[in-house]
Amino acid sequence: MGAAALILVVAGCTQGADKPTSDFKEADGRAAAQRWVSEEFTPSTLSKDEQLAEMEWFMKAAAPYRGMQINVVSETITTHEYESRQLAKAFTEITGIQIKHDLIQEGDVIEKLQTQIQGDQNIYDAYVNDSDLIGTHSRGDYVLPLSDYMAGEGKNVTSPTLDLDDFIGISFTTGPDKKIYQLPDQQFANLYWFRYDWFTDPDIKKQFKDAYGYDLGVPVNWAAYEDIADFFTNKVNGDGTIDGKKVYGHMDYGRKDPSLGWRFTDSWLSMAGNGDPGIPNGLPVDDWGIRVENCRPVGSSVTRGGDTNGPAAVYSLTKYVDWLKKYAPKEAAGMNFSEAGPVPAQGHIAQQIFWYTSFTADMTKPGLSVVNEDGTPRWRIAPSPHGAYWKEGNKLGYQDAGSWTLLKSTPQDRRAAAWLYAQFVTSKTVSLKKSIVGLTFIRDSDIRSDYFAENSEKYGGLIEFYGSPARKQWTPTGTNVPDYPKLAQLWWQNVATAVTGETTAQQSMDNLAKQQDDILSRLERLSRSREGYGGQCAPKLNPERDAQYWYDQPGAPAPKLTDERGKPETLDYDKLIATWKQGG
């Protein structure tokens, strides 16, 4: 293994040292740019002349790297499939740089990234990995901060039309030091999904109001969501059926699988009201329940000032398990993320509190029972309802931001060529078309384009959501989490025992909080033994004290509420959308 690693390192260095050869001709590159802009990269927020000028810059900047093959990797979703299949080919034809864009599972991306970091060997020249790792990247010494790179080593290969201010997720990839560490490549949120046709059916609306005393609509809080789940599962038409078919008021997944961890770390606790107000993440306590002082993580457990095992967190896990067992199809408990995702398209789910918009493209295919004959959806998306502990100013949901990351272990010339490709696939020339294909928006200019203004009805409220101020309450994991890979794997293991009944919700969250604190403690020791690790933002655990001390302090952790249900509240969807369109 040692010899193999040495060969890899030498090979990487040799590739970087040798002058690449290429028979690329600029005339061919310009012809390719003309063809791609005319036939594929349309529509665009740029004029055709502006697109061609942007492509001309890429062609010129790529000159020193022609003939090289650059290796990059991302997870397997529709957006990245488009990049690997179409954009890599276009980039090669326009610039002369060969691109091998691998698609693997998200967990495997992280594994490759960690292997490269720990072995200091160049496996890939650039990675698209979630901005959830921002707290990890900003505390390590292996990622090249893009702010530094663009101003220094990479200045000549940084596009003058990059326009960082146009990226809607740039705050997600910014560290506590205010440096940008990653460049967003795709984004999607988890939102509330529901059958608009059922919710607006006069007979169904009357049945609901007769049963619960208020109007059927988009649930604002978990009490209303629970009532709606009960209504469709058990009471609609007297037996929980519509058109003679059994329906369900909730959909989720519960298999013991790493994706069960995403189900929770992707802001489920913040939706319940865990942590403190603050966008993009709660401060001083974030949506993982981790408290920071300045930028130092100081604890997860309530006894250290954290909120991972506080009443709001226990409430969030309790509701998840209850709803999964009472209101979802029986088979949901044995499903993982990818298996559960397509289920609402089958036509028997009334609502889903936690639905990833990455499934939007698959939910708009002609012929589905959830799509009208004219191609418009019978479903809509809206803001997720919040739990009883939620406070104004808390984040309300999760937004994934897969982002380009450059490592210091990558040879300089290979890094430069990979950075050109990263900018190419996020450039204004291609980003609108990429957004249409994958519906994972990264640029504000694309969201506000004429194309989406004219076609918004096809996407069930997605365009209105991204064009509204509401989207700012949906954010990824923040900088309080100092080692995402190590901490994230704890979640699915502890949540799973609550699903199976091996532990109570309180026991699961107590175990999780303690295990997180154990890792924070190890990172604290590492910061003392390895000079420079984490810097001023390295973990430093608070001493334990009585939980009541922290409940008596302002903010999180909050003491247990006497009423964890509250008064159910719903909104009329069409009025909500009208408010969004007016900028409210």
Side-chain angles (χ1 to χ4, degrees), residues 52-118:
L52 292 173
E54 191 168 58
M55 295 299 97
E56 179 77 11
W57 180 87
F58 278 105
M59 185 184 68
K60 293 288 189 183
Y65 316 105
R66 287 175 191 151
M68 295 176 67
Q69 177 177 295
I70 300 304
N71 304 313
V72 303
V73 67
S74 64
E75 65 175 304
T76 306
I77 64 171
T78 302
T79 296
H80 297 317
E81 288 171 353
Y82 178 70
E83 290 169 341
S84 179
R85 184 181 69 252
Q86 292 282 71
L87 298 187
K89 181 181 179 183
F91 182 76
T92 295
E93 291 183 3
I94 293 168
T95 67
I97 299 172
Q98 301 289 324
I99 295 292
K100 185 173 184 288
H101 186 149
D102 287 347
L103 302 175
I104 59 179
Q105 294 302 308
E106 180 183 3
D108 295 330
V109 173
I110 301 302
E111 184 180 340
K112 296 289 187 185
L113 181 67
Q114 288 181 295
T115 300
Q116 180 159 339
I117 292 164
Q118 293 163 3

Side-chain angles (χ1 to χ4, degrees), residues 494-513:
N494 286 290
V495 168
T497 60
V499 175
T500 60
E502 297 168 62
T503 56
T504 65
Q506 183 69 66
Q507 289 168 336
S508 289
M509 300 314 280
D510 285 345
N511 293 339
L512 173 61

Side-chain angles (χ1 to χ4, degrees), residues 168 172 187-192 355-357 360 379-384 396-400 439 441 444 447-448 452 456 459-475 573 576-581 583-584:
I168 61 174
F172 307 155
Q187 285 180 229
F188 56 87
N190 61 11
L191 296 171
Y192 172 73
W355 184 80
Y356 286 92
T357 61
T360 304
W379 51 266
R380 299 289 187 273
I381 53 176
S384 305
L396 193 47
Y398 174 80
Q399 195 164 176
D400 185 284
L439 299 175
F441 308 100
D444 189 66
I447 296 163
R448 303 185 188 285
F452 282 119
S456 62
Y459 305 109
L462 182 65
I463 309 306
E464 288 82 356
F465 168 77
Y466 269 103
S468 76
R471 77 169 187 229
K472 295 180 180 178
Q473 290 180 286
W474 275 256
T475 65
Y573 177 77
L576 173 66
I577 289 294
T579 302
W580 278 356
K581 288 181 176 178

